[in-house]
């Protein structure tokens, strides 16, 4: 039983359903999206967010938007490359988005015009189902790292709201909780959009898991205090050498964890590993609007990167659906 369905098909399978995460925790509103522009707007505005969730949303969104935009599969075939390119361009950092859209394109290439829509729906279904299974597997592998009465620090939201399943960084927490272990999660507030305070706290509290929110700037002091057993964060893209992009502020947490000798884990499905990106410096970082920082004095500019890159040397291990791994992620065994 999933704690939350952040991204799914509508019951009649004509629309993409998302929980509008801009409105949480105040209101839990499910939106049904059919038009490409609406799917792109939802991804850009972070109504749907988190690397695996935007991959699943793009896959279902591509299928439903093509269905709504044309009456013949021949016409849909013509629209497909443009729709796919626009979806991929909607957010640049999380590789799961391009990964999911490329899977849809590859599947489309295997069929003729007649069965195009059926094939795209089937592939989107597979991406959704696999994401749920990958989250469960991450939980299964990661729960061994969580002792009874563990205190876990996390950054941003890499939970059920960020995936189709039980999350990535929070999957081991959910699995340990389901096994009857007491776990206490400390959630960084995650400036500027407060995914930790609004989303991680909301979903954990709802699941009956103890959660304490702290300002981002307090994480280093908390790590120095000895209260934290381990840090688990998600990732938007993991380079072949293990450097990874995640929500801005992750790098600072990793540095502090390293200084205070607290184990620091990255949890991610295989779809987040990008063997074509050799090192973290090659990852494109999304920069967002200054308005996200709140009111600034007139004439003052802002630097607002949505993500940062943490070097692999600060990572204790990568909790994936295939087990706890270590880079490089280039050998045939990993691909
Ligand atoms: O900008 P967001 O909210 O989409 O950023 C999300 C994150 O940084 C998550 O930690 C990451 O996507 C992993 S989600 C399982």
């Amino acid at each position: 039983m999933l704690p939350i369905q952040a991204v799914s098909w509508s019951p009649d399978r004509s629309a993409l359903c998302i929980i509008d995460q801009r409105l949480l925790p105040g209101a839990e509103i499910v939106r049904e999206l059919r038009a490409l522009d609406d799917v792109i707007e939802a991804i850009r505005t972070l109504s749907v967010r988190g690397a695996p969730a935007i991959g699943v949303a793009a896959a279902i969104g591509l299928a439903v938007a093509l269905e709504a935009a044309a009456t013949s599969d021949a016409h849909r075939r013509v629209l497909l490359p443009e729709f796919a390119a626009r979806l991929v361009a909607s957010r640049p950092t999380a590789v799961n988005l391009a990964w999911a859209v490329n899977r849809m394109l590859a599947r489309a290439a295997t069929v003729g015009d007649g069965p195009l829509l059926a094939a795209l729906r089937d592939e989107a279904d597979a991406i959704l189902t696999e994401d749920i299974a990958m989250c469960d597997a991450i939980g299964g592998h990661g729960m061994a790292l969580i002792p009874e009465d563990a205190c876990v620090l996390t950054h941003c939201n890499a939970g059920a709201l960020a995936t189709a399943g039980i999350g990535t960084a929070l999957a081991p927490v959910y699995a340990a909780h389901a096994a009857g272990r007491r776990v206490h999660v400390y959630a960084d507030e995650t400036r500027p959009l407060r995914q930790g305070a609004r989303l991680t706290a909301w979903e954990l509290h709802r699941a009956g898991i103890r959660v304490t929110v702290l300002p981002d700037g307090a994480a280093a002091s908390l790590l120095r205090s000895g209260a934290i057993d381990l840090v688990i964060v998600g990732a938007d893209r993991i380079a072949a050498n293990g450097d990874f992009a995640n929500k801005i502020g992750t790098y600072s947490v990793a540095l502090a964890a390293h200084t205070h000798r607290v184990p620091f884990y990255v949890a991610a499905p295989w779809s987040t590993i990008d063997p074509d990106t050799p090192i973290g410096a090659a990852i494109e970082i999304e920069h967002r609007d200054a308005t996200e920082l709140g009111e600034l004095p007139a004439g003052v500019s802002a630097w607002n990167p949505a993500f940062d890159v943490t070097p692999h040397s600060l990572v204790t291990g990568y909790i994936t659906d295939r087990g706890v791994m270590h880079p490089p992620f280039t050998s045939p065994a990993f691909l």
Side-chain angles (χ1 to χ4, degrees):
M1 179 63 181
L2 290 172
I4 290 157
Q5 275 201 290
V7 56
S8 57
W9 295 91
S10 62
D12 68 357
R13 294 169 60 83
S14 71
L16 163 68
C17 281
I18 57 155
I19 298 177
D20 190 338
Q21 299 191 31
R22 292 172 307 175
L23 306 177
L24 289 172
E28 187 181 342
I29 305 289
V30 175
R31 285 173 66 198
E32 288 197 358
L33 310 174
R34 289 180 181 79
L36 183 71
D37 285 348
D38 294 340
V39 175
I40 289 173
E41 184 257 2
I43 293 173
R44 281 211 178 111
T45 59
L46 276 55
S47 296
V48 59
R49 46 144 302 281
I54 60 176
V56 174
I60 298 177
L62 184 56
V64 299
L66 278 173
E67 180 172 19
T71 47
S72 75
D73 272 352
H75 188 194
R76 291 185 185 109
R77 172 84 62 188
V78 174
L79 295 175
L80 178 61
E82 181 211 325
F83 277 33
R86 288 185 56 204
L87 279 165
V88 170
S90 60
R91 286 195 86 187
T93 303
V95 71
N96 310 62
L97 180 57
W99 172 86
V101 171
N102 286 336
R103 261 184 71 162
M104 297 289 280
L105 290 175
R107 180 66 183 270
T110 66
V111 294
D113 283 346
L116 177 65
L117 200 55
L120 289 176
R121 290 171 155 284
D122 187 59
E123 193 64 25
D125 257 344
I127 290 169
L128 172 87
T129 311
E130 287 169 29
D131 190 59
I132 295 170
M134 287 193 285
C135 291
D136 287 343
I138 290 168
H141 293 300
M143 68 183 282
L145 301 167
I146 300 190
E148 174 67 19
D149 274 327
C151 287
V152 178
L153 175 66
T154 192
H155 189 77
C156 195
N157 173 265
L161 285 168
T163 65
I166 61 168
T168 60
L170 298 189
V173 171
Y174 282 121
H177 176 73
R181 276 178 233 165
R182 267 193 309 271
V183 190
H184 183 174
V185 176
Y186 284 82
D188 283 347
E189 180 189 12
T190 317
R191 285 276 165 179
L193 295 180
R194 306 186 69 245
Q195 288 92 332
R198 293 189 303 109
L199 308 178
T200 298
W202 180 78
E203 67 166 84
L204 289 175
H205 183 68
R206 181 180 154 122
I209 297 171
R210 189 172 169 204
V211 56
T212 299
V213 174
L214 59 146
D216 296 349
S221 298
L222 181 67
L223 287 160
R224 185 175 57 190
S225 76
I228 298 297
D229 296 293
L230 71 163
V231 180
I232 314 180
V233 298
D236 286 84
R237 191 183 294 246
I238 302 175
N241 74 340
D243 297 350
F244 73 99
N246 192 48
K247 180 52 56 190
I248 190 75
T250 302
Y251 179 31
S252 313
V253 177
L255 284 168
H258 187 73
T259 297
H260 300 296
R261 296 187 168 74
V262 178
F264 181 97
Y265 289 94
V266 180
W270 215 248
S271 51
T272 304
I273 297 174
D274 180 7
D276 295 332
T277 296
I279 58 171
I283 300 174
E284 182 182 350
I285 298 295
E286 175 187 0
H287 283 254
R288 295 186 63 88
D289 202 83
T291 53
E292 291 185 348
L293 301 187
E295 191 181 355
L296 301 173
V300 170
S301 61
W303 187 64
N304 185 24
F307 302 99
D308 59 23
V309 172
T310 299
H312 63 89
S313 56
L314 300 178
V315 180
T316 309
Y318 299 76
I319 311 168
T320 76
D321 45 297
R322 302 185 189 179
V324 180
M325 303 281 188
H326 298 278
F329 299 114
T330 42
S331 76
F334 283 119
L335 302 177

